[in-house]
Structure formats: structure tokens, C-alpha cells
Amino acid sequence: ARSNPASYVGAFDEIRKRFAQQPLAHERGYTAGTFSFNAGDGRCPTCGGNGFEHVEMQFLSDVYLRCPDCDGRRYRAEVLEVKLVRGPMQLSIADVLDLTVAEAAHWFLADREVTARLQPLVDVGLDYLRLGQPVPTLSGGEAQRLKLAGFLAEAAASAGRQPLAKKGTLFLFDEPTTGLHFDDIAKLMRALRKLLDAGHSLVVIEHNLDVIRAA
């Protein structure tokens, strides 16, 4: 429940490093760990960085209430005072987590490490998701594409390293284009080709003629 698209592809680690490099963070002795909502002293002590409180109900479904102390922003108020500045805009770590992948890719356009980490999410058509959206709230199709983005991120990270003598992964897709727009199908096909280029193998069950032709 604490995982999100940004953490899944490693982008959140890079973003937290950027906040730790800010002058106010240096002045206060903050590290990248301070900007984690999973551990450390930076997260809200009331909700433990969840952003909500879980209330168990006796005969009804459990209720999740927005944390009254951090108002769902997951962090202590003093941590949110550290901002990244781009022109007239100033964003706290909570503000960055509220950005969509597309907005974040534009915001960090000059930061090659962050944009490279975000690119797999764009490649699989998940650029509309918020960086901090909890993974359990994704649909089944979104979760599958997020897994695909994780493999693409792994392939991109190992591209510059010495190739290892290991077997690739066999991926089995059952009609992955169902419900997708033509543009999203094109993105999916490019993502599948990146898997092939990384040494993996694909078996795709599909009725879409463009996908069949690409095989």
C-alpha cells in the first residue's frame, strides 16, 4: 500500500535526493531519508506517512479518514518547507507527489536522471497517473503496465553496464490491447520492442491485426 508509480521505477529515490540538496535541507541536516514517508523522522507521526487513518468498523466496511494533522500530505510541516524552485513555481515533496507523471517529466526536464526514471511510465502510457498514487488503487490493466514499466526501467538501468550472463524473462500477455486507444497500442508496441532489445522473450495472445503483423 506504500508503493506508488514513482517509487516502483526508482524515480522517487532521485527526487528525494534533489530535495536533500536544497540549502534549507542542508541547514537543517535533512538527508534523502528525511523525505521518505515510509520511514524516518520526516513523515507525519500521527498517520505514520500514510496520509490517512484507518478506522475499523464493527459491522461495516473499514473507513479511511484523511489525517487531521498533515491533511493527507504525509509529512511533517517543517519538512514541507523545503521547496524545489523552477521559475515562479515552488514545490514541496508533497506537491511533487501530487504531480502527474507527464507534469513531473516536464518539471524535471533538465534533470536527466529523474526524467530517465520517469520515461518507462510514459512509454507504457501511464503518464496520467499521479506520482504518489498508491499502487492498490490502480486498475488491473494499469497494474500490469506498471509491472512492464518496472522491467523497462531495469533494462534501461543495466544498458550501460557490462552485460551479465543470465537468461532473459519470458513474458506471456493475454490480449494486452483490450480497451486501449490506438495511440496507447502504439506505445505498448514500442515498450514490447524494448523488452525484446533487452534480451527478453514475448508470447502474445492477441486479435489486434497490427500486433499480429508486428510479430
Side-chain angles (χ1 to χ4, degrees), residues 44-122:
C44 171
T46 302
C47 64
N50 281 319
F52 57 83
E53 293 184 304
H54 178 202
V55 180
E56 294 187 11
M57 306 294 285
Q58 189 70 27
F59 301 108
L60 300 171
S61 299
D62 291 354
V63 176
Y64 295 88
L65 301 176
R66 186 184 295 268
C67 176
D69 285 349
C70 69
D71 194 30
R73 294 171 68 79
R74 299 185 172 206
Y75 293 92
R76 294 178 181 270
E78 55 268 28
V79 172
L80 296 178
E81 292 172 0
V82 179
K83 304 287 180 67
L84 289 182
V85 180
R86 296 284 188 280
M89 292 186 66
Q90 299 184 19
L91 300 183
S92 69
I93 185 71
D95 294 328
V96 170
L97 288 174
D98 276 337
L99 296 176
T100 66
V101 173
E103 290 169 342
H106 180 72
W107 173 267
F108 290 102
L109 191 60
D111 192 319
R112 293 175 57 186
E113 287 81 7
V114 175
T115 52
R117 298 282 187 173
L118 293 174
Q119 190 58 44
L121 295 171
V122 178

